[in-house]
Amino acid sequence: YPQFMFHLRRSQFLQLFNSSPDEAAYYRYVLTRENTTNSLVMIQPTLLSYSFDGPPQPAMLDCQSVQPNTILLLDTFFHVVVFHGETIAAWREQKFHEQEDYASFRHLLEAPQSDAQMIMDARFPVPRYIVCDQHKSEARFLMAKLNPSVTPNTDGGVGAQVFTDDVSLRVFMEHLMKLAVQS
């Protein structure tokens, strides 16, 4: 439950900065009209991780899930984002997937795209489809939804740094525990 409150607090339903009143009204209207499953996806998006290690696995909505050798599929209900890690993007740009010897890499690239297409085919309104690479401008669609557990102010950590003024889930939970103990 607390992680849902954390993500709801950061969602477009409560954070109105950088959105018009029409956008805010639209998002809230869709939230009230959808079923519970879709509403939960709107509040706390789903993240799948694709790698050579095995089948797609659910990943934490955390910047530590961003790895150079993985592909992430983020479903926010309004956006479907396919995010390529740094190494995967470099291999794709070198066109390894077009060579016969790298059929497994081709399948790795195709899997999140086919899953994203299945999500978009089953949803109305159709979400915006975004394909992006690590350290590129459109990666912001993924990075804005992730828990900023690794920032320039934290010590080390695995994953991509998130430059934000927002608090991490850990800090949010600590504050909730402190408030619960006080009352």
Side-chain angles (χ1 to χ4, degrees):
Y1 176 76
Q3 76 266 12
F4 284 108
M5 293 305 297
F6 173 76
H7 291 290
L8 177 63
R9 187 180 64 85
R10 298 181 71 215
S11 72
Q12 66 267 26
F13 306 113
L14 297 181
Q15 290 290 334
L16 301 179
F17 179 74
N18 203 20
S19 65
S20 70
D22 289 343
E23 285 177 302
Y26 169 74
Y27 288 135
R28 290 175 178 173
Y29 172 77
V30 172
L31 176 69
T32 61
R33 301 295 296 175
E34 285 296 326
N35 61 32
T36 304
T37 304
N38 288 341
S39 297
L40 290 175
V41 169
M42 289 181 214
I43 294 170
Q44 182 174 343
T46 59
L47 186 66
L48 289 175
S49 177
Y50 297 78
S51 69
F52 289 113
D53 297 337
Q57 297 181 351
M60 295 295 293
L61 266 176
D62 194 286
C63 61
Q64 293 181 358
S65 296
V66 176
Q67 300 295 324
N69 60 344
T70 61
I71 300 174
L72 298 175
L73 174 64
L74 176 73
D75 178 14
T76 69
F77 188 84
F78 299 105
H79 298 97
V80 174
V81 181
V82 175
F83 176 90
H84 299 99
E86 194 171 17
T87 305
I88 299 288
W91 290 347
R92 190 192 68 232
E93 289 172 6
Q94 294 172 5
K95 301 193 184 298
F96 285 153
H97 61 286
E98 294 176 0
Q99 299 175 18
E100 301 255 343
D101 297 340
Y102 297 98
S104 61
F105 181 58
R106 183 178 340 108
H107 295 305
L108 180 65
L109 286 177
E110 292 170 354
Q113 291 176 353
S114 64
D115 289 349
Q117 189 62 49
M118 285 178 18
I119 291 169
M120 292 186 300
D121 289 344
R123 185 165 299 152
F124 183 81
V126 177
R128 180 175 174 194
Y129 180 58
I130 301 163
V131 177
C132 59
D133 298 335
Q134 190 172 1
H135 306 303
K136 302 290 187 203
S137 65
E138 290 208 323
R140 69 186 183 277
F141 288 98
L142 173 80
M143 300 307 286
K145 295 292 182 183
L146 299 180
N147 171 31
S149 62
V150 179
T151 65
N153 299 331
T154 58
D155 295 328
V158 178
Q161 276 192 351
V162 177
F163 298 98
T164 183
D165 292 333
D166 204 2
V167 299
S168 67
L169 178 60
R170 183 184 56 78
V171 172
F172 180 75
M173 294 291 288
E174 289 171 358
H175 186 71
L176 279 180
M177 287 185 278
K178 186 167 55 169
L179 287 175
V181 170
Q182 284 178 350
S183 44

